[in-house]
Amino acid sequence: MPVEIFDFDSSSLVGNPLGDPPVRRIPVYLPPSYALESERRYPVVFMLHGFTGNSSSWLNVNTFYTPTVPERFEKLIKEGRCGEMILVFVDGYCALGGSQYLNSSATGCYEDYLIADLLPFIDRRYRTLGDAARGLAGKSSGGYGSVRLALRHPELFKAFASHAGDMYFELCYKPDFPKTVMGLQPYLHTPDPLGAFLTSFAEAENKGRLVETLEILAMAACYSPDGSRYDLPFDMATGELRPAVWQRWLEFDPVEMLEKSEYLEALRGMRGAYLDAGFRDEYNLHLGARIFTSHAAAKGIKVHYEEFDGGHMNIDYRYDHSLPFLYQALTA
């Protein structure tokens, strides 16, 4: 399977506040004909992983040895179910578990890293079709990044696919606020509860039990930074909502983005917009997708939406649906 892996040095990530490395490992899937047809150019899709993932996650052997996404895509091509594209597997990991692929003073400039640094580098290194046929795809936080980046940069991306992407924050994040309050409770007596929790997380042998709390802290670092630190949208001791901070979060919600004309017109101009989610999604992201789709429809914009019998985890097989959709949209 033709996957090249190289280390990419991003100037936008140099000196980020979490001390994360600016050099990122980037796998790139090249289609079967790439080495044989030296003049041919290809559509390119930037693949965005979910929270706690990294670019190498796409290449890992999955549960019960199910195929990786590059293996799935190659099978689609061989079976004639999808045309050939270049897939670029972006590394958006940060020390808090994920960057949401946006710029934040508390995590670093991950949007600039992708848009200003990596994207033009890929166009120089590989025979892409450039702005004419470029898309985004991802799951969960990666699905969120796909929607948000496409709406913010319609001059660069012509289509996107989001599998259970974060949206309608009222339902996908708020239910976890009480759990986060309880997760922080052991540290409230310290001068810096958030710092104490993060130290405990770093030292913990079993990190899994702390990830629910970490995730909300990571979202706060992305959506409500305060310099190199960040504000929580609720009181740490009582859980009472802090409306001003919560409003800052909502400005990043894809559903709320549709209320702004520039993003609405960006969606209207997309050659393809694909959403899906399992109707058993543990984070209510099927409801967010329904709401996004219905709001777009109310404004006269069709978003392709599929719902399936599944939850939030182990849904890489859904790329068998979204990647052919993206190919058709990018080559239309």
Side-chain angles (χ1 to χ4, degrees):
M1 183 178 59
V3 174
E4 290 188 359
I5 302 176
F6 61 88
D7 289 337
F8 178 71
D9 193 348
S10 169
S11 60
S12 295
L13 295 182
V14 171
N16 65 80
L18 295 175
D20 288 313
V23 177
R24 300 300 173 105
R25 182 148 292 187
I26 307 294
V28 176
Y29 171 86
L30 299 175
S33 70
Y34 191 86
L36 303 175
E37 302 179 31
S38 60
E39 300 301 316
R40 183 174 174 183
R41 293 188 170 272
Y42 299 82
V44 60
V45 176
F46 285 76
M47 308 290 289
L48 310 183
H49 61 76
F51 187 71
T52 73
N54 58 47
S55 59
S56 297
S57 306
W58 298 96
L59 309 180
N60 292 341
V61 174
N62 297 315
T63 307
F64 303 118
Y65 299 99
T66 54
T68 65
V69 170
E71 289 169 340
R72 287 186 174 280
F73 185 53
E74 186 154 85
K75 186 170 185 284
L76 289 173
I77 293 171
K78 288 180 177 177
E79 292 177 350
R81 296 163 58 194
C82 186
E84 295 187 343
M85 299 189 291
I86 296 171
L87 305 183
V88 179
F89 299 94
V90 180
D91 190 327
Y93 182 80
C94 80
L96 293 176
S99 64
Q100 297 298 91
Y101 304 93
L102 51 78
N103 292 340
S104 163
S105 61
T107 59
C109 295
Y110 283 84
E111 182 172 352
D112 289 350
Y113 144 65
L114 196 161
I115 298 297
D117 299 347
L118 183 59
L119 188 152
F121 177 85
I122 291 296
D123 282 346
R124 292 193 301 269
R125 183 180 176 110
Y126 298 103
R127 300 193 308 275
T128 74
L129 287 168
D131 297 349
R134 186 187 297 115
L136 292 151
K139 180 237 173 183
S140 194
S141 287
Y144 168 81
S146 296
V147 176
R148 182 177 180 275
L149 289 171
L151 297 188
R152 283 177 54 80
H153 302 281
E155 76 284 2
L156 299 177
F157 301 105
K158 304 308 179 202
F160 67 82
S162 171
H163 300 283
D166 301 5
M167 55 181 62
Y168 201 65
F169 290 1
E170 290 279 349
L171 291 179
C172 77
Y173 292 140
K174 258 189 177 179
D176 286 337
F177 289 177
K179 301 175 189 176
T180 307
V181 171
M182 297 310 297
L184 292 174
Q185 185 169 308
Y187 311 96
L188 294 182
H189 67 282
T190 68
D192 178 13
L194 298 186
F197 169 82
L198 292 173
T199 298
S200 178
F201 180 84
E203 295 173 350
E205 292 285 349
N206 177 15
K207 290 179 167 54
R209 64 185 178 85
L210 303 173
V211 167
E212 273 189 343
T213 301
L214 179 72
E215 184 170 6
I216 293 299
L217 301 193
M219 297 306 108
C222 293
Y223 302 142
S224 51
D226 179 11
S228 62
R229 299 180 68 81
Y230 42 90
D231 291 329
L232 292 176
F234 52 85
D235 184 276
M236 280 189 286
T238 67
E240 183 177 3
L241 196 67
R242 300 174 65 199
V245 181
W246 178 238
Q247 185 57 45
R248 292 177 65 191
W249 281 45
L250 293 180
E251 291 173 4
F252 290 91
D253 187 336
V255 171
E256 296 293 328
M257 289 175 72
L258 293 186
E259 298 305 312
K260 295 187 177 181
S261 60
E262 65 267 32
Y263 299 136
L264 186 65
E265 292 312 305
L267 181 61
R268 195 184 306 277
M270 287 287 140
R271 297 211 297 263
Y274 176 103
L275 301 182
D276 76 11
F279 60 72
R280 304 177 194 276
D281 190 278
E282 295 85 346
Y283 300 96
N284 302 315
L285 292 167
H286 57 305
L287 301 181
R290 292 179 190 177
I291 293 167
F292 184 94
T293 303
S294 65
H295 283 207
K299 300 176 188 298
I301 304 172
K302 178 174 174 54
V303 173
H304 182 88
Y305 178 55
E306 297 182 9
E307 209 164 281
F308 56 91
D309 187 355
H312 194 70
M313 309 303 176
N314 302 315
I315 59 171
D316 279 358
Y317 63 90
R318 294 300 302 178
Y319 287 103
D320 290 4
H321 300 258
S322 63
L323 290 172
F325 176 93
L326 287 176
Y327 177 80
Q328 291 298 325
L330 294 175
T331 57

